[in-house]
Amino acid sequence: MFIDGAFVPASSSGGVFKTVNPASEEVLAEVASAGAEDVDLAVAAARRAFGPWSALPGAERAKYLFRIARIIQERSRELAVLESLDNGKPIRESRDVDVPLVAAHFFYYAGWADKLKYAGFGPDPRPLGVAAQVIPWNFPLLMLAWKVAPALAAGNTVVLKPAETTPLSALFFADICQQAELPPGVVNIITGAGETGRALVEHPGVDKVAFTGSTEVGRQIARSVAGTRKRLTLELGGKAANIVFDDAPIDQAVEGIVNGIFFNQGHVCCAGSRLLVQESAYDEVLTALKRRMATLRVGDPLDKNTDVGAINSAAQLARIRELSEVGATEGAERWSPPCELPAQGFWFAPTIFTGVTQAHRIAREEIFGPVLSVLTFRTPDEAIEKANNTPYGLSAGIWSDKGSLILAMADKLRAGVVWANTFNKFDPTSPFGGYKESGYGREGGRHGLEAYLA
């Protein structure tokens, strides 16, 4: 673990766990598992560092963030390979999407560090203190950047816990913090499973909790924080609707549909997992979609030609298989392109279900895998009703040639992010977050600073 500027083993209250390559099931590393004593040490280190760090002029904090961003760029190839090894995502995505966005977030928030009084949160905004940050396994390095960069820019110190299946890029980031000569204790990284995260979130020395992950765990965290002085932001699950009208550019829309659900093996909170197609365009869209899916390459994440990599873990693969079986049992028609899957590792072929109704579990529950449910609609009002018929409200996509229709639809969709004629586009200047059971608070943009300022 990385505590107070140094790599340290677990204490007697902790232990050790293994992290594996999901593409081959080979053990990559043995990682320290933090116990209660380790959490105490990390929070205490962050508390000691908070005074000097928050007292630094914003321009000085910015220098450290700029330095971290540049080192991320310099070591981008190492980071991309490590992320794909540990997570299973295609190297093309790690190299061209994840790592560039990570650097961009640190550059962006470095620019805010000396301009906080102009951010719209009062003339003299102050940092909260020690931020406990718990991140998921689907975008390990990017979720780290979303949380660490604004926290440091605002003058807070951090104790971060990565997911137990993907701890390696966070530990690599700790090495980057050392290389950037970040003061000891400003960033602390403790590794472990759910119990480690619970100990961190419930620690009395923490002032702010930021969590990205499942809605179920988010509820538990909200209950544990209720009645305390801790500030909380949650970015939870989603069941996004990708809405295609008959006047949409079909080829472009099909690319957006594929990117919306098969990017990162569908391990995306805002994945377009429900496709709503206007009836008059259904046959054309489905034919084009199946033709495009037949070209997807599933296989070795380190092959730059791979489109769909490995499922992150055996547990996640079991859930995807279970819900897919339920979909077929409930009467939906299942289709996957011809696809030879590797014998070793955790793999699932890109899959679509047609004949889906809103009563099907695959249309209601978050599968978090490369599985798309296809529904139809006739009118914009029907599309709105079906899109909003979910306990989630994280994202949505609209495909149409009419700007007025897109704006009218976007105004009625209960989703934190609405993409128009694109999907899964992210930018550090743009806020991201949800409504309802998708959580509350925003990350990214000027809005992302608010969660870390008093």
Side-chain angles (χ1 to χ4, degrees):
M1 297 169 295
F2 184 69
I3 297 176
D4 207 14
F7 287 98
V8 297
S11 68
S12 57
S13 65
V16 172
F17 65 96
K18 293 180 172 65
T19 181
V20 303
N21 180 345
S24 65
E25 300 179 61
E26 294 174 332
V27 174
L28 293 171
E30 289 189 343
V31 183
S33 179
E37 187 179 332
D38 304 301
V39 174
D40 287 342
L41 290 171
V43 173
R47 178 62 60 195
R48 285 194 302 272
F50 172 65
W53 177 252
S54 60
L56 277 180
E60 292 301 312
R61 290 199 302 273
K63 290 177 184 177
Y64 287 103
L65 289 168
F66 275 123
R67 200 177 298 162
I68 288 170
R70 286 195 295 269
I71 295 170
I72 288 167
Q73 289 181 321
E74 291 164 4
R75 305 185 70 177
S76 60
R77 295 179 75 86
E78 295 170 84
L79 282 164
V81 170
L82 186 63
E83 195 80 326
S84 289
L85 277 173
D86 205 22
N87 173 275
K89 67 175 64 190
I91 187 69
R92 196 174 66 221
E93 293 176 9
S94 301
R95 180 195 66 196
D96 299 342
V97 180
D98 292 35
V99 176
L101 274 174
V102 169
H105 272 81
F106 278 97
F107 276 125
Y108 176 72
Y109 281 109
W112 268 115
D114 63 345
K115 304 174 188 68
L116 297 176
K117 64 181 179 181
Y118 307 111
F121 308 123
D124 188 27
R126 301 295 179 90
L128 296 173
V130 176
Q133 302 177 328
V134 181
I135 59 175
W137 45 260
N138 56 336
F139 291 92
L141 196 59
L142 184 58
M143 293 299 100
L144 177 151
W146 280 23
K147 288 177 169 50
V148 172
L152 298 192
N156 301 274
T157 53
V158 166
V159 181
L160 178 126
K161 191 203 86 72
E164 63 270 27
T165 60
T166 54
L168 298 186
S169 55
L171 294 171
F172 190 103
F173 178 78
D175 188 60
I176 289 174
C177 289
Q178 284 187 328
Q179 190 178 341
E181 298 180 357
L182 193 69
V186 172
V187 169
N188 304 274
I189 296 173
I190 56 173
T191 43
E195 284 304 312
T196 303
R198 182 179 289 108
L200 175 59
V201 165
E202 295 178 355
H203 197 283
V206 164
D207 303 294
K208 151 78 184 169
V209 175
F211 172 76
T212 298
S214 71
T215 297
E216 180 186 352
V217 176
R219 285 196 193 99
Q220 294 172 10
I221 290 174
R223 282 193 288 266
S224 71
V225 169
T228 71
R229 57 179 175 74
K230 297 173 186 173
R231 294 266 289 271
L232 175 65
T233 50
L234 298 171
E235 196 265 279
L236 308 175
K239 193 70 179 174
N242 211 352
I243 305 166
V244 180
F245 285 91
D246 57 7
D247 66 338
I250 299 301
D251 289 341
Q252 183 182 336
V254 165
E255 286 302 311
I257 294 164
V258 168
N259 182 52
I261 186 60
F262 301 126
F263 172 69
N264 199 35
Q265 298 75 255
H267 299 332
V268 187
C269 299
C270 54
S273 53
R274 289 183 299 149
L275 176 61
L276 274 59
V277 185
Q278 197 158 19
E279 278 188 8
S280 49
Y282 177 80
D283 290 338
E284 184 182 1
V285 169
L286 203 65
T287 300
L289 177 58
K290 287 183 176 181
R291 185 169 60 242
R292 178 67 179 90
M293 285 175 63
T295 69
L296 294 174
R297 296 185 57 163
V298 181
D300 182 7
L302 293 183
D303 184 339
K304 65 180 183 295
N305 296 309
T306 294
D307 298 300
V308 181
I311 302 303
N312 180 255
S313 67
Q316 186 58 31
L317 178 59
R319 173 167 173 78
I320 295 167
R321 284 175 172 166
E322 177 196 349
L323 283 172
S324 296
E325 291 301 323
V326 167
T329 302
E330 289 182 343
E333 185 177 338
R334 179 176 181 172
W335 183 87
S336 294
C339 185
E340 188 175 337
L341 301 178
Q344 283 292 108
F346 313 128
W347 305 93
F348 195 88
T351 300
I352 58 173
F353 281 95
T354 53
V356 179
T357 71
Q358 295 182 87
H360 283 99
R361 280 182 65 189
I362 54 172
R364 292 183 285 113
E365 297 183 27
E366 186 178 34
I367 301 172
F368 221 61
V371 180
L372 178 66
S373 300
V374 185
L375 300 91
T376 60
F377 68 92
R378 293 182 179 178
T379 65
D381 285 344
E382 185 184 353
I384 290 289
E385 189 174 337
K386 286 185 173 180
N388 287 343
N389 185 22
T390 172
Y392 299 108
L394 190 56
S395 63
I398 307 168
W399 299 84
S400 171
D401 198 38
K402 297 184 180 70
S404 57
L405 176 61
I406 290 171
L407 292 172
M409 291 284 293
D411 192 47
K412 297 172 184 174
L413 288 168
R414 289 295 289 168
V417 178
V418 179
W419 286 291
N421 291 330
T422 188
F423 208 93
N424 274 344
K425 295 292 184 185
F426 299 100
D427 189 281
T429 67
S430 179
F432 181 89
Y435 296 107
K436 301 188 284 188
E437 290 188 14
S438 290
Y440 46 82
R442 294 294 181 266
E443 293 180 306
R446 180 185 63 84
H447 308 67
L449 292 165
E450 185 175 10
Y452 294 98
L453 292 170

